[in-house]
Amino acid sequence: MDHVNTDTQEAAKAARDIKTIIEEVQNSSNKAENIMLLSSDNVSSGTKTVNEAGTQFIDIIEHIEKLTQQVLQVAAAAEQMTIGVQNVAAATQQQTASMQEVSSSAEDLNLVANELLTMSGQFKMQ
């Protein structure tokens, strides 16, 4: 009977060892499952963050495109203003030239008037 007792004890010990191993496997499996769930949450969170960043980049690009259009419009307006200023400058130069001609003609007329005065002073009226 000692042999039966020893076999029974060894079988019980083996059963306990197997139970311990199964519990450790279950614990490891539960830990792995928890880690996978956390990883899945992290991946979901990362994906959400990347999607939000992508949306923000699209918004930034749209704002940059609008700003670029506005800058181009301002540049076109500035170019038109430059042309206008050049036209005003040209008109001013023409007016200055005309004023110089008028001034020169006025001087000529003044000289002629002085000569006429001098000549008229030579004639005596009776």
Side-chain angles (χ1 to χ4, degrees), residues 27-73:
N27 285 338
S28 294
S29 178
N30 287 337
K31 286 180 184 177
E33 181 182 1
N34 288 336
I35 289 171
M36 286 174 31
L37 289 174
L38 287 174
S39 295
S40 177
D41 288 345
N42 288 338
V43 168
S44 294
S45 176
T47 301
K48 182 180 176 184
T49 301
V50 168
N51 288 336
E52 288 173 357
T55 301
Q56 289 174 352
F57 279 126
I58 289 170
D59 288 344
I60 289 169
I61 290 169
E62 288 174 357
H63 283 100
I64 288 172
E65 288 173 350
K66 287 178 184 177
L67 183 61
T68 300
Q69 290 301 317
Q70 290 173 352
V71 167
L72 290 175
Q73 289 173 353

Side-chain angles (χ1 to χ4, degrees), residues 18-28:
I18 290 172
K19 181 182 176 191
T20 301
I21 291 171
I22 290 172
E23 286 173 352
E24 287 176 1
V25 168
Q26 284 177 333
N27 285 338
S28 294

Side-chain angles (χ1 to χ4, degrees), residues 91-107:
T92 302
Q93 286 177 346
Q94 288 175 347
Q95 286 179 349
T96 300
S98 295
M99 293 297 284
Q100 287 173 347
E101 287 178 24
V102 167
S103 177
S104 177
S105 295
E107 286 177 16

Side-chain angles (χ1 to χ4, degrees), residues 107-126:
E107 286 177 16
D108 289 344
L109 283 174
N110 191 25
L111 288 174
V112 169
N114 282 335
E115 284 179 26
L116 285 174
L117 272 174
T118 303
M119 290 169 116
S120 68
Q122 293 176 357
F123 293 103
K124 286 186 182 180
M125 290 228 183
Q126 294 187 3

